[in-house]
Amino acid sequence: MEINKTCSVSHTKKLSYFLLVGVSFLLTINQQLVEALGISLSNNDPRSRTVHRRDGIIGQLRRCSRPWRSTSSALSMIRNIDLPEALIFYGTNTVFHNPGNSVRPGLMKLLAESKDIGTACILLSESVGTKVLEERVQQSDLSGQKNHLILRSSLEIEDGLGYSPSPLALLETISSVMIEPRGFGGSSGFGTKQADPERSPLAKHCVVFAEGKRGRDRSLAARVAGMRVMYIEEKMGDCDADDLVDGVISTLDELYGVDDVSTPGQFWLNPPSSRDQNGNGVNPWDVADAISRQRLVDPSTDNGEKDEAVIQNSPEELDENEVARILADIDPL
């Protein structure tokens, strides 16, 4: 009887030992995987978020000591990667240099690669309609890409009420586009999932590029919509949306390709969820509806990208009724 008790204790100790070794091994593998991806795991609280920035000269992530692109062989084990279903360039200045019709460096490369892999590319403006956008594209180097670069304007969506920081323009834009989703799975058919039928891009697989004076509003709109956000910061310190965006670059040419903004990729590990600027989960359609109702009550709210070169700042002319109203107000004095 004493011998059986001794054997039982011995087996228990061995089992505990093997369990500890197994847990230690899994933790080590997990840490190596995270380091191989070069990704910071952080929660959705903007106060604790780590925004990845890349310096265009030395090619490294600011606030991070490891090189921009890891060469670890561990990365080759990652087979199941969700490429973005749509790249949304929010504002014409994310595509064109201001002023002029020259396109940003790196844009043509992204458009060509996106076309090959079936990722939709969308230019969304808040200040001009699609006809003006078509003319500008035709006069630029993008004339050969006009069939792949989809043009949309918030002025033509829901009576123009969906501009940032409302997510409505973004949500309606992707709803108007159809894609053929790719299959998902590993090599030799392992874990393969058949592709969905033709549908609109999912918000969690969309990446929005923002910049400039309205960059924060557009970044917030994309975050509420449940999309990833990349901020184009031409000058150090220009970005005022560090708490909202997922990555900051100084030029599109710094991206090695579409896979850099995939899930997982160089900037994030998991798909996003719809959150407000405080990190609270929200329903994007409810937010959009609330903002639209508020704008119907107060139509004087700023309604577009005043920093775009296509906008002509002409003085407003007063009509006869406006002049009569002003004179009537002055007369009692």
Side-chain angles (χ1 to χ4, degrees), residues 269-291:
L269 182 61
N270 301 311
S273 59
S274 300
R275 296 186 177 277
D276 61 18
Q277 60 185 351
N278 297 317
N280 302 313
V282 294
N283 183 315
W285 290 102
D286 288 346
V287 174
D289 181 63
I291 294 177

Side-chain angles (χ1 to χ4, degrees), residues 55-56 63 72 78 87 92-93 96 112 155 170 187 222 241 287 313:
D55 191 305
R63 310 178 188 174
S72 171
I78 304 300
L87 302 180
T92 58
N93 288 348
F96 299 102
L155 299 178
L170 288 170
S187 60
V287 174
N313 294 322

Side-chain angles (χ1 to χ4, degrees), residues 70-97:
S70 174
T71 57
S72 171
S73 60
L75 190 59
S76 64
M77 296 187 298
I78 304 300
R79 298 287 301 179
N80 295 340
I81 296 177
D82 282 322
L83 294 171
E85 296 180 348
L87 302 180
I88 303 175
F89 300 91
Y90 206 167
T92 58
N93 288 348
T94 58
V95 169
F96 299 102
H97 279 300

Side-chain angles (χ1 to χ4, degrees), residues 96 133-144 146:
F96 299 102
L133 290 178
E134 289 174 0
E135 294 176 358
R136 196 169 184 189
V137 166
Q138 192 62 35
Q139 298 170 2
S140 70
D141 295 335
L142 292 171
S143 57
K146 62 180 181 180

Side-chain angles (χ1 to χ4, degrees), residues 222-299:
R223 180 175 167 88
V224 173
M227 303 176 181
R228 290 295 185 185
V229 193
M230 295 295 296
Y231 197 101
I232 304 175
E233 181 186 55
E234 293 188 346
K235 297 179 180 179
M236 182 78 72
D238 281 353
C239 177
D240 61 351
D242 276 349
D243 57 325
L244 302 175
V245 303
D246 299 287
V248 179
I249 54 177
S250 61
T251 172
L252 295 173
D253 204 29
E254 291 178 8
L255 297 176
Y256 289 99
V258 176
D259 62 321
D260 277 354
V261 288
S262 299
T263 304
Q266 292 296 330
F267 294 92
W268 50 80
L269 182 61
N270 301 311
S273 59
S274 300
R275 296 186 177 277
D276 61 18
Q277 60 185 351
N278 297 317
N280 302 313
V282 294
N283 183 315
W285 290 102
D286 288 346
V287 174
D289 181 63
I291 294 177
S292 295
R293 284 188 278 107
Q294 180 180 2
R295 287 171 174 172
L296 284 172
V297 175
D298 183 14

Side-chain angles (χ1 to χ4, degrees), residues 33-41 52 66 264-269:
L33 178 60
V34 171
E35 292 179 355
L37 291 173
I39 297 173
S40 172
L41 299 179
H52 285 187
R66 68 173 62 92
Q266 292 296 330
F267 294 92
W268 50 80
L269 182 61

